[in-house]
Amino acid sequence: MTHRGERILDVRALARVEGEGAMHVRVRGDRVDDVRLEIYEPPRFFEAFLRGRRYTEPPDITARICGICPVAYQMSACAAIEDACGIEVGGPIGELRRLLYCGEWIESHTLHIYLLHAPDFLGYPSALELAKDRRDLVERGLALKKTGNDLLELLGGRAIHPVNVRVGGFYRAPAPRELAPMRERLRVALDQALVTVEWVAGFDFPDFTHDHELLALTVPGRYAIETGDVVTTGGLRFGVREFEEHVLEEQVPHSTALHARLAGRGRYLTGPAARYTLNHDQLSPIARQAAAAAGLGADCRNPYRSVVVRAIEIVYAVDEAIRLIDAYEPPVRPAEEVPPRAGAGRGATEAPRGVLFHRYELDADGLVRTARIVPPTSQNQAAIEDDLTRFVGERLHLVDERLTADCEQAIRNYDPCISCATHFLDLSIDRG
Amino acid sequence: MTSAMPTLAVWKFASCDGCQLSLLDCEDELLAVAGRVRVAHFLEASRAVLPGPYDVSLVEGSITTPDDAERIRRVREVSRTLVTIGACATAGGIQALRDNADVAEFASVVYAHPEYIATLATSTPIAAHVDVDYELHGCPVDRRQLLEVLGALLIGRKPNIPAHSVCFECKQRHNVCVVVAHGTPCLGPVTRAGCGALCPAVSRGCYGCFGPAETPNYAALESVPGSVFLEVTRRKEQS
């Protein structure tokens, strides 16, 4: 495999990530020469076939980009189209959207913690194998995940690709009594989520920190999910409408992979660790207490600890869902009227894996002229590869098999969603 | 004992991951299923990969690249029973919107360097490439149907998958008919059942996730006031 001290680590098909990707690491002597998170999922051309579709269609169409976080796509699409049409949707409809989004955070984070990530820390190839020894742990995860899915089904009609979301709001808003049984379920889920925090906080975390600029949405008074301005740990702050002025995408030589960077600054990281670092003051008291008890400080710069942050965010999402149900007042109409007009609109929300940006340009008849989508994993790719380079450099003494497995685990720290990323990785590389 | 358990493999082609996620979404049944089958190849769930052949392969996604057209043949060769799951695998999926367009133009819109992109001009269902034993429709598949198929295959009977229309499920669910009561365009009369009439239950017309029912009566639908075909006609007139 090697010649003149060259060492190649290859994982041809990454397991326990969403979508299909490969990792390629090349070491020459004692230097990590090349690290690539390769994407081989076939392109599906969403931005091309969105053109000419009615402005009401992107929420259902873009949901199909990702079966893991369809609500994120629906919410960012709605926000962008409503922005284009000059309509602001807030009030009870906005709260209902946030409640739906909490369901996706609970489901997606629990999936990642219990079924994708925890087996790494505990030395199992899968949660199914883990269940043979510790069925109670996996059952707890599945129960928590189910509560997230059931919340999605209650509001969205279906957990994967919900049917009840539309531009302007919902097709049907639930009556308060329909939400009451879910509130009881969430009370149980809150305990399960708190135990989950304690459990993952006890994992063995390799000593590793990064210095990436962290980027998240932020909004006064609450932990940003479905709306907000963009802030970074470097002190940048801008509205979603200025997203494309600050976030540039560039092509890396010899690769079709696109790397997002902040103009004049460089790589950055979005996702749970960024949200926690930038917004932890806005977590609810119970989530803040859980974070403190789990030993999370003012920031989270060890990517392995992102599993703890995800657990904290489950606590928050469950707690917030209870609050939203308690405060719920049905909207007068399930959806605001959104008449089309010519123009461009932008929207961004916090998908479980980080900021998801959409931009649509509409014509006067409400047909989509252009569409652009920037998912979190393509934004994080440069940071993931940078971490892998350093990570491997510090572990060259390990045998290939162990080092490769460790690299896979390191990649899973970011919960990469390749189904999302692949279709966009190269797509906005110098469009000229 | 475990070696006698049937083996299950899950494969992904061009898709969103949602249909294989439906298997992990069977929270109440997942561990029971895992106790009855040997999960031999399921990358989304496990690093451990056992060599084939496999008793049951679930295939998600459509064929959109020359490599995948080859890969599905290899999957067929190592699969005793091959079940396609979801709209991509059974019908080409949403990415089949390229089929009526110029895929080179699509690539040039999306990619700065379309020459890097190895893609076929069409997105085709698995059955266009290899023999398929059972098809599960839906975008995504319904997880109860997924369990029905797995359960049936485990005990060696034919899966019971309805081929009638969504209208039947709407009536069973006591939904108010959105076409008759509200004039909302609805594909339910011609769409395959399986979802449980989700959209009409939220006062929305069915948008056809599960594809055509076995014997759809399009002509009758066309005559229904507020039918989706009137909507299509209206849109054609506008454009």
Side-chain angles (χ1 to χ4, degrees), chain A residues 77-93:
Chain A
C78 286
I81 290 161
E82 287 154 14
D83 182 49
C85 298
I87 302 289
E88 207 163 310
V89 178
I93 295 174

Side-chain angles (χ1 to χ4, degrees), chain A residues 172-196:
Chain A
R172 178 182 176 278
R177 64 179 159 73
E178 293 174 66
L179 301 182
M182 178 49 66
R183 189 191 187 286
E184 298 315 305
R185 298 270 311 278
L186 288 163
R187 289 296 311 173
V188 176
L190 186 58
D191 290 337
Q192 290 162 339
L194 287 166
V195 176
T196 301

Side-chain angles (χ1 to χ4, degrees), chain B residues 109-180:
Chain B
V109 166
V110 176
Y111 294 94
H113 295 286
E115 68 275 15
Y116 292 168
I117 304 304
T119 190
L120 298 170
T122 54
S123 170
T124 41
I126 301 301
H129 298 264
V130 296
D131 288 340
V132 169
D133 298 297
Y134 296 101
E135 291 189 321
L136 267 191
H137 299 265
C139 183
V141 290
D142 181 82
R143 63 175 187 268
R144 288 156 300 190
Q145 287 199 344
L146 190 56
L147 288 168
E148 160 63 17
V149 165
L150 286 177
L153 293 177
L154 273 174
I155 61 167
R157 68 163 168 83
K158 193 176 171 219
N160 179 17
I161 300 300
H164 53 244
S165 76
V166 171
C167 284
F168 287 75
E169 295 186 317
C170 230
K171 299 297 167 287
Q172 285 173 332
R173 201 173 167 158
H174 302 285
N175 285 339
V176 172
C177 177
V178 296
V179 179
V180 174

Side-chain angles (χ1 to χ4, degrees), chain A residues 69-147:
Chain A
C69 59
V71 170
Y73 280 89
Q74 294 184 331
M75 294 296 112
S76 287
C78 286
I81 290 161
E82 287 154 14
D83 182 49
C85 298
I87 302 289
E88 207 163 310
V89 178
I93 295 174
E95 298 296 88
L96 211 45
R97 284 178 165 175
R98 186 171 172 87
L99 181 58
L100 177 71
Y101 221 139
C102 284
E104 182 157 290
W105 274 32
I106 298 166
E107 192 282 330
S108 174
H109 278 355
T110 309
L111 171 79
H112 186 257
I113 292 174
Y114 280 88
L115 297 183
L116 308 186
H117 208 189
D120 278 331
F121 290 101
L122 304 174
Y124 289 88
S126 72
L128 299 177
E129 291 298 314
L130 171 62
K132 289 176 183 166
D133 294 338
R134 291 298 309 272
R135 192 178 174 103
D136 58 318
L137 290 178
V138 179
E139 282 182 342
R140 184 177 70 210
L142 290 171
L144 185 55
K145 180 170 167 305
K146 184 177 162 71
T147 302

